[in-house]
């Protein structure tokens, strides 16, 4: 018999002999909170400071990286430089830009 994950609202099955599904167990071990997601948190002041100063920054959440990349793209900063500042691969920046162009075209 499979049990459901014990986190409220989760519809996935818990891992065998456990109370949590794989996804929530990973969040608890990584962040200490089964509801934490890096896509939901962004410090607008940090994002604006990094875009303005165009300096590398560590410890950014995923959402902050994307927002910084968008801000730098608006300032016509090349993809390689954006990648260096944000701390990702140049191809990742190009993919983000492509996705943003597709959303604007739709």
């Amino acid at each position: 018999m499979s049990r459901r994950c014990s986190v409220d609202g989760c519809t996935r099955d818990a891992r065998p002999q456990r109370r949590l599904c794989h996804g929530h167990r990973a969040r608890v071990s990584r962040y200490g909170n089964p509801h934490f997601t890096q896509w939901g948190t962004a410090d607008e002041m940090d994002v604006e400071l990094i875009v303005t100063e165009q300096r590398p920054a560590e410890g950014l959440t995923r959402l902050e990286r994307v927002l910084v990349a968008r801000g730098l793209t608006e300032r016509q900063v090349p993809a390689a430089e954006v990648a260096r500042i944000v701390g990702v691969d140049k191809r990742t920046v190009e993919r983000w830009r492509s996705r943003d162009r597709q959303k604007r075209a739709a």
Side-chain angles (χ1 to χ4, degrees):
M1 180 178 125
S2 63
R3 294 177 16 180
R4 291 282 181 211
C5 179
S6 64
V7 174
D8 291 338
C10 183
T11 58
R12 294 178 292 204
D13 289 333
R15 297 179 59 202
Q17 310 296 320
R18 305 283 183 209
R19 297 176 329 127
L20 299 175
C21 65
H22 177 73
H24 285 113
R25 184 171 186 274
R27 286 180 183 175
V28 168
S29 67
R30 236 183 241 143
Y31 310 112
N33 179 353
H35 301 290
F36 181 82
T37 176
Q38 288 191 348
W39 285 107
T41 56
D43 185 349
E44 294 296 327
M45 294 293 287
D46 284 347
V47 169
E48 186 59 36
L49 184 66
I50 295 167
V51 169
T52 303
E53 294 182 1
Q54 296 186 12
R55 62 174 173 79
E58 295 181 14
L60 297 175
T61 65
R62 290 179 181 179
L63 180 59
E64 288 171 336
R65 286 185 196 128
V66 171
L67 294 175
V68 168
R70 284 180 185 158
L72 292 171
T73 297
E74 290 173 2
R75 293 174 181 245
Q76 305 297 319
V77 177
E81 183 67 10
V82 173
R84 185 188 68 78
I85 292 169
V86 177
V88 297
D89 192 65
K90 178 184 172 197
R91 177 69 182 110
T92 301
V93 174
E94 291 168 351
R95 195 179 68 243
W96 289 343
R97 287 178 173 181
S98 174
R99 189 178 304 142
D100 287 345
R101 281 191 301 270
Q102 288 173 353
K103 285 182 181 179
R104 279 193 300 258

